[in-house]
Amino acid sequence: MKRRFAAHFVWFAGRVYPMSYVEMDEKGSFLGLYPLAEEIAQTRFLNGVLVLLPESLAHDAAYWIAHWRDIPVERFSSERVHLYQLEGIALSSAKLGADDGGRYRYVQ
């Protein structure tokens, strides 16, 4: 069964994706990132910003969330993915991919 998480912005592979959703399999492997054009059944919407981290980098999440642009995209196809929701970040900053010191929360 696929799992989907949507947000106002998703920070992934050096780019900011507005109104998008992340699709994962039941094991937590990354399947894709897609624009959210309409409501999709069984998609969890999270307010604000999602950041994806390969599992091997999650032990140092604070560093990698701040340096999300430096994560090699190849790591997402070979590892499980952890999702983090940024809290306390203005959406105007999120649109630019700027971490303004907000907190983060592990999603799954």
Side-chain angles (χ1 to χ4, degrees):
M1 181 170 163
K2 294 179 184 175
R3 296 184 300 164
R4 295 180 198 92
F5 298 89
H8 291 103
F9 296 98
V10 178
W11 292 358
F12 175 73
R15 291 187 50 204
V16 177
Y17 294 86
M19 290 305 291
S20 298
Y21 70 95
V22 176
E23 193 168 69
M24 303 167 69
D25 68 14
E26 65 280 349
K27 295 178 183 174
S29 297
F30 176 75
L31 297 176
L33 176 65
Y34 308 98
L36 184 65
E38 59 189 31
E39 267 190 56
I40 301 171
Q42 299 181 353
T43 300
R44 184 173 171 195
F45 188 86
L46 299 164
N47 190 35
V49 181
L50 286 180
V51 179
L52 288 75
L53 291 183
E55 187 172 51
S56 64
L57 302 179
H59 69 282
D60 198 8
Y63 174 84
W64 286 109
I65 288 170
H67 296 91
W68 65 274
R69 286 187 166 108
D70 299 331
I71 302 170
V73 70
E74 304 82 43
R75 304 221 26 197
F76 292 98
S77 61
S78 61
E79 298 184 35
R80 290 185 54 197
V81 174
H82 289 219
L83 292 178
Y84 293 86
Q85 178 186 17
L86 298 185
E87 298 175 334
I89 183 170
L91 290 182
S92 56
S93 295
K95 185 186 293 189
L96 302 173
D99 181 4
D100 62 357
R103 298 178 320 268
Y104 62 89
R105 179 176 68 85
Y106 180 65
V107 174
Q108 63 72 337

